[in-house]
Amino acid sequence: MLQEKLELLLNKYQVTSDAKISADGRSVRIGGEVYPLLSHRFERRFVELRRMLHDGTISGVSAIRCGNVGTSEKSLDELILRELDICRFLSGREIVSIAAFGRDRRAENLIAVLDNDVVCSIEVANTLPSGAQTIDKHEVISARGLVCDRVVDTQIPQNSIYLYADENIAYTDVDFELYGLDADKAASVRAAFALAKDETLRQSALCDMETLRNLLSCATKSAADGRKVTI
Amino acid sequence: MNRLKIAMMSMTHGHTRKYYQVLKENPKLEWVAVSTANDEVRRIFKNSVDGIPCYDSDIEMLDAHPEIEAVVLASENCEHLRQMKLCAERGIHILSMKIPTFDMDEYDQMIELVEKHDVICQIELELHYNPVVRRMKEISESGKLGNILSFKATNTTLSPVWAFPWQGMPEKSYGKRVPLREGDNRFRGGALCDHPHIFDLIREITGSEFDTVYAAVAPNIRPDIEEEDMLNVVGRMKNGVVFSLDPSWSNMEERLKVPGPGWEVAPKRMEVNLIINGEKGTLMTDCFGPNTYHNGAPNDRYTVNYTYFDEWVGLIDEFVDNIRLHRLPKINLRRHRETIRVMNAIYESIRIGDSVNL
C-alpha cells in the first residue's frame, strides 16, 4: 500500500526515481542507498507548529512539552528518537544536554535543553493496549502565546469522524491524494516522496539520523545512572 | 456539636477567596473575625464579604476574640512562623497554607511549637479532597494498571504575582533571596513555590518517597519578574517509578490586581493533569475537567470557564473533625516536611545543573 501510494505521487508529478519505501514506512531505498524517514517532519501538524514558531505568531519560546504514549508494540527508543527530533525540528535548534529516567524499557521521562536554553520535557511510554490509538501531545510555551497540536483543555487526540453503529470506529483522513492512509502512513509516503525528489534532503536525513542516534545514546547513558549528559 | 469558632489572618494568600463561601456556609463553623495585612487587602475583603469583623493586626483580633478556636493562616509564606507562634501559644488550632516555610530550621520550630502546645496543625493541600484524585487513587490501588512504571503531572497556572505581589518577592515567597544559579539574575520563590501539590500527590499515589530529582529552569515567559516561572522536574522514586513534574506558571495572564473575569490570556488559567503509565495500561486524569468555554466578556477571547470542584468543603470538614476528635491530620507538618525538603532539592538541582540524590 505504501509503495503503491508512493508510485502514485512519483508518476503524477513525473519524478523519475527507483524509490522503494519499506513496509513499515521507516526508510526508503533510493539509488541503492537506504535513507531514514523522519516522517513526523512531513506531518502537517508539525509543519504548522514549526511555522508558527518562526513566522512571528509566537515569540520568546521558553519550553517545549512532548508526550507520546504508544502501544506495547512500539519500541521506547523509537518514541524517544521521534520526540527528540520533534524538539529539534520545531525549534530549528540543537540539543545540548539530556537527563533521562526510565523504567523497564516501558516508560521514560527526559529533559533536553536546547542551545538557546529552551527546556524540552519529553514523556514517553509504550503502555497502551494493543490496537489503541497513540496518544501524543506537543505544546510550545512562549512569552507571546502558546501553540499546541491538541484541542484546548484536552489530553487526547481528536478524530475527524466518529461512527457509532454496530461497532464504534473513528477515522482521521488527512491527505486526499493519499486517501486511505492514516496520518502516520501518509507522512511516511510524503517523506519518501520528498527524499526521492531532493538529494539535499536525502543527505540531511542521513545527518539528522546520525545526530539522533548520538542523542539516543546520550539518553541511554543518562537513564543508566540518572545524571545529566552534556552533548 | 458546638460550631467551631474560626478566624482568618492576613488575607494575602491566593487561596483566601476560596474560604469565603465555606466559612460562611459550613454548619460546623462560626466565622468570628479576620485580620488583614494592609489597607488594600482590607478594602478588597470588605468589598467581598459583609458582616465579619475585620482587624488591622493579628494580635488585636486575637485579644478581641478570645473565643477563637482555630485560625486559617491566609498569609504570605514569610509570616507563617510568627503567626503559628501567636496561635499555638494561645492553644489555637491552625490551618496552614500549602507552604509552611522553605527554611528547614523554621520548619522544625513549627513542628516543635505545635507539638509542645498540643494544637492541631493541618496543611492545606486541597487536592486530597478532589473527587478525580480520589477516583484515580482507587483505580491505581485496584491493580487495574499493574505496577506503576511512570507518573506524569502538571500543575500549571497563570502567575499570581500581579494580584498577590508577595509571591513575586523572593524574601516573602521563599523566605530569602537565593539566586537560582550562578550568573542567573532570577531568585528562588516563583512557580515551584506556588505548586507543591504534585510533589505531594506522587508520594500519595505511589506510596513511595523521592530518590533522585533533576530539574531544569527555562527562560522566563515574564522577563520582568525576578523569580522562575518555567521549569520541569524529572527523576525517580525509591520504588523505581520514574516521574515528570511540571509546576510552571505557563498559562499567561492579564496583570489584574484583583482576580476575576478576563484574567486569562492563555485560554486556561490552571491545569492539574495526572498520568500514570502502568504495566497493564495508562490512566489519564484531568483533576478540574470537564469545563465550559466562552469567548465573551470582558475580552472576547476563547476562555476555559472552570466548573470547579469544591475541595475546600472536604478539607474544612476534615479540619473540624480533627480538632473535635483531637486527631493528627493526615496532611500534618511532619508528613509535609519531606515534600518541602524535595522542593528545596529541586532548587539545588537547578543550582548545580545536575541530579540530586535525596
Side-chain angles (χ1 to χ4, degrees):
Chain A
M1 184 72 161
L2 296 184
Q3 183 62 28
E4 182 188 321
K5 294 290 190 185
L6 175 59
E7 285 172 9
L8 181 152
L9 293 179
L10 292 170
N11 292 335
K12 178 176 177 183
Y13 294 99
Q14 300 176 339
V15 176
T16 305
S17 171
D18 63 350
K20 295 275 184 275
I21 188 169
S22 63
D24 62 6
R26 295 170 64 182
S27 63
V28 63
R29 179 181 288 276
I30 302 169
E33 183 89 40
V34 176
Y35 298 93
L37 292 178
L38 299 170
S39 57
H40 44 271
R41 291 177 174 235
F42 295 85
E43 267 192 62
R44 289 187 180 170
R45 57 178 169 145
F46 295 121
V47 171
E48 283 302 311
L49 289 177
R50 185 176 200 272
R51 180 185 63 74
M52 289 188 282
L53 258 68
H54 298 279
D55 72 356
T57 302
I58 65 169
S59 56
V61 171
S62 171
I64 301 176
R65 296 168 172 160
C66 305
N68 190 329
V69 187
T71 62
S72 52
E73 292 87 11
K74 293 214 171 178
S75 89
L76 207 64
D77 283 350
E78 182 188 336
L79 298 176
I80 294 168
L81 189 142
R82 178 179 190 269
E83 299 305 321
L84 287 171
D85 192 50
I86 286 170
C87 294
R88 296 174 65 239
F89 176 67
L90 294 182
S91 63
R93 312 294 297 214
E94 284 301 338
I95 291 167
V96 295
S97 72
I98 291 179
F101 292 85
R103 186 162 194 202
D104 299 346
R105 306 303 298 152
R106 301 291 313 280
E108 191 157 319
N109 297 323
L110 307 90
I111 290 179
V113 178
L114 302 179
D115 58 13
N116 59 352
D117 295 330
V118 166
V119 171
C120 308
S121 59
I122 297 173
E123 296 106 21
V124 297
N126 56 9
T127 48
L128 292 181
S130 187
Q133 185 177 5
T134 294
I135 299 173
D136 68 351
K137 180 174 181 175
H138 303 85
E139 187 173 35
V140 182
I141 308 294
S142 83
R144 183 183 185 182
L146 63 88
V147 297
C148 186
D149 60 359
R150 295 296 170 222
V151 181
V152 170
D153 207 19
T154 62
Q155 302 181 73
I156 59 174
Q158 311 293 299
N159 296 103
S160 31
I161 293 179
Y162 301 91
L163 171 65
Y164 299 101
D166 289 341
E167 54 181 339
N168 298 338
I169 307 177
Y171 300 90
T172 301
D173 296 296
V174 297
D175 194 319
F176 191 78
E177 278 186 316
L178 302 180
Y179 183 77
L181 298 184
D182 65 25
D184 283 346
K185 290 189 173 72
S188 291
V189 172
R190 289 285 170 193
F193 180 57
L195 266 59
K197 285 193 299 183
D198 190 335
E199 166 66 19
T200 309
L201 274 184
R202 295 201 283 274
Q203 295 314 311
S204 295
L206 292 173
C207 290
D208 281 321
M209 187 51 83
E210 190 179 334
T211 301
L212 288 167
R213 286 201 183 102
N214 181 43
L215 292 174
L216 192 58
S217 158
C218 292
T220 304
K221 183 168 182 284
S222 174
D225 64 7
R227 316 303 302 190
K228 179 181 78 173
V229 173
T230 302
I231 314 299
Chain B
M1 189 183 287
N2 291 334
R3 294 204 294 169
L4 183 78
K5 294 179 176 55
I6 195 163
M8 294 181 74
M9 283 183 176
S10 287
M11 317 300 277
T12 50
H13 197 278
H15 285 176
T16 299
R17 294 169 305 141
K18 309 279 188 186
Y19 288 93
Y20 293 170
Q21 189 175 353
V22 73
L23 261 56
K24 285 205 139 185
E25 292 183 358
N26 190 313
K28 297 175 181 175
L29 296 178
E30 181 182 338
W31 189 1
V32 174
V34 302
S35 59
T36 49
N38 56 55
D39 291 345
E40 177 71 3
V41 170
R42 164 187 277 258
R43 188 184 59 77
I44 293 169
F45 175 73
K46 289 198 159 181
N47 284 339
S48 307
V49 180
D50 287 329
I52 304 296
C54 182
Y55 296 85
D56 288 335
S57 89
D58 303 330
I59 293 175
E60 189 188 344
M61 177 182 75
L62 295 178
D63 286 346
H65 294 277
E67 73 274 24
I68 290 173
E69 297 173 88
V71 166
V72 179
L73 304 186
S75 52
E76 49 262 59
N77 296 341
C78 63
E79 288 289 311
H80 290 166
L81 178 60
R82 180 187 66 80
Q83 291 177 331
M84 276 196 195
K85 273 184 189 163
L86 273 180
C87 293
E89 286 168 357
R90 293 171 187 239
I92 294 172
H93 306 292
I94 298 160
L95 184 62
S96 167
M97 294 295 101
K98 54 196 174 183
I99 303 293
T101 174
F102 280 106
D103 182 309
M104 300 316 286
D105 290 333
E106 270 194 10
Y107 201 106
D108 290 338
Q109 286 181 56
M110 290 176 175
I111 292 174
E112 196 180 322
L113 263 174
V114 164
E115 292 181 350
K116 179 181 168 191
H117 294 282
D118 196 23
V119 293
I120 300 298
C121 179
Q122 182 170 324
I123 313 297
E124 179 219 54
L125 288 175
E126 69 275 11
L127 279 167
H128 285 268
Y129 312 92
N130 174 296
V132 179
V133 171
R134 181 170 171 176
R135 178 73 64 185
M136 178 194 206
K137 196 159 176 269
E138 279 179 16
I139 295 170
S140 173
E141 289 171 353
S142 74
K144 287 177 183 165
L145 294 170
N147 288 327
I148 300 176
L149 301 169
S150 72
F151 182 96
K152 183 246 171 103
T154 58
N155 181 7
T156 64
T157 63
L158 38 65
S159 173
V161 301
W162 320 112
F164 308 101
W166 68 269
Q167 291 196 263
M169 300 174 185
E171 51 278 77
K172 291 194 170 188
S173 176
Y174 186 72
K176 54 193 163 191
R177 293 177 78 82
V178 181
L180 282 182
R181 57 191 174 188
E182 198 178 328
D184 198 311
N185 61 5
R186 294 169 294 177
F187 297 87
R188 297 180 183 186
L192 177 61
C193 290
D194 197 24
H195 295 149
H197 302 285
I198 47 180
F199 303 97
D200 164 75
L201 276 182
I202 188 173
R203 298 173 62 207
E204 174 79 0
I205 302 285
T206 64
S208 186
E209 297 295 345
F210 284 85
D211 179 73
T212 311
V213 293
Y214 171 82
V217 65
N220 273 20
I221 59 174
R222 301 167 191 81
D224 52 337
I225 65 173
E226 59 175 354
E227 300 162 339
E228 83 284 356
D229 67 6
M230 293 287 299
L231 73 156
N232 200 268
V233 186
V234 293
R236 188 185 306 279
M237 303 299 282
K238 291 196 186 301
N239 66 357
V241 172
V242 295
F243 58 80
S244 175
L245 305 172
D246 188 339
S248 298
W249 284 335
S250 57
N251 307 19
M252 188 60 82
E253 68 288 332
E254 294 287 354
R255 298 181 171 192
L256 302 186
K257 287 247 178 199
V258 179
W263 205 5
E264 299 87 351
V265 172
K268 291 183 79 170
R269 69 169 61 173
M270 187 268 285
E271 165 186 301
V272 178
N273 289 349
L274 311 171
I275 299 174
I276 294 176
N277 294 305
E279 288 173 334
K280 295 182 188 171
T282 292
L283 176 67
M284 309 186 82
T285 308
D286 178 352
C287 296
F288 297 101
N291 294 301
T292 53
Y293 308 88
H294 75 86
N295 67 341
N299 297 324
D300 304 320
R301 187 185 280 157
Y302 190 80
T303 303
V304 178
N305 179 65
Y306 278 92
T307 51
Y308 282 108
F309 299 120
D310 199 346
E311 289 79 11
W312 276 266
V313 172
L315 185 152
I316 285 290
D317 278 343
E318 187 170 303
F319 182 54
V320 174
D321 288 348
N322 287 335
I323 290 170
R324 292 301 183 217
L325 301 171
H326 206 69
R327 189 173 64 187
L328 182 68
K330 179 180 175 192
I331 315 301
N332 58 67
L333 276 171
R334 283 190 184 277
R335 180 194 192 280
H336 192 47
R337 188 181 190 281
E338 181 63 10
T339 299
I340 299 295
R341 187 173 82 94
V342 168
M343 293 172 77
N344 273 315
I346 289 163
Y347 275 128
E348 177 65 3
S349 173
I350 290 168
R351 187 184 74 78
I352 66 172
D354 206 345
S355 303
V356 170
N357 295 319
L358 286 139

